[in-house]
Every structure is written in structure tokens, then in C-alpha cells.
Amino acid sequence: MRQVKDTWRIRLRRLRQGERRKLNKMKQSSTFYAGYGKRLFDLILTIPGLVVISPLLAVIALLVRVKLGSPVLFRQERAE
């Protein structure tokens, strides 16, 4: 019975090693995109997005300050 268990462990280990090899090959083929492409894509979209939306956020902050008279950012002291 022990030999059967050991046989299955060896087969499982080989299968896992084969899967790891496939994953490593996939990682190597998409290294540039994974490393630089995603970051570049994020920056290309977020920087113009922030530039476009920042005046709207400033107007909303100004309206909160004028209409409510309260600070735009909420601050609370911590209790000790």
C-alpha cells in the first residue's frame, strides 16, 4: 500500500513540475507587457483622467466649504 502512495506522490510531483514549467514559459513570454506595458497603460489613462476631473473636484470642495461652512476634509481627534 505504501508503494502505491509513493507512486501517486511521484506522479503528482511530476505533474506539478510540468505545470510550473508551463507557467514559467508563459511568464517569460509576457514579461515586457506584465512589467512595463500594464504600468504604462495605467499612467496613460490615469494622468489625463486626473487632469480632467480635478477642476470638478475643486468646485465640489469649494461648494462644500461655502454652503456648509465646514472643512472639506474631515478631521477627528483620537481618544486615548
Side-chain angles (χ1 to χ4, degrees):
M1 192 68 158
R2 181 171 169 84
Q3 189 175 16
V4 172
K5 288 182 182 180
D6 290 341
T7 303
W8 280 106
R9 284 184 187 163
I10 292 170
R11 286 183 182 177
L12 184 60
R13 190 177 305 134
R14 286 180 185 164
L15 178 64
R16 288 180 184 158
Q17 288 173 352
E19 288 175 354
R20 281 191 216 132
R21 286 185 195 125
K22 287 179 187 177
L23 287 174
N24 286 337
K25 285 182 182 179
M26 288 172 53
K27 286 180 185 178
Q28 289 171 356
S29 65
S30 63
T31 302
F32 177 78
Y33 176 72
Y36 299 104
K38 288 181 183 180
R39 179 72 174 152
L40 186 63
F41 182 73
D42 288 343
L43 291 175
I44 288 172
L45 289 179
T46 56
I47 291 174
L50 285 173
V51 169
V52 168
I53 202 169
S54 61
L56 177 63
L57 294 175
V59 168
I60 292 171
L62 185 64
L63 288 174
V64 167
R65 182 69 177 165
V66 170
K67 295 283 184 178
L68 300 177
S70 62
V72 175
L73 300 177
F74 177 75
R75 287 191 314 188
Q76 179 175 352
E77 292 184 24
R78 290 186 165 200
E80 290 185 34

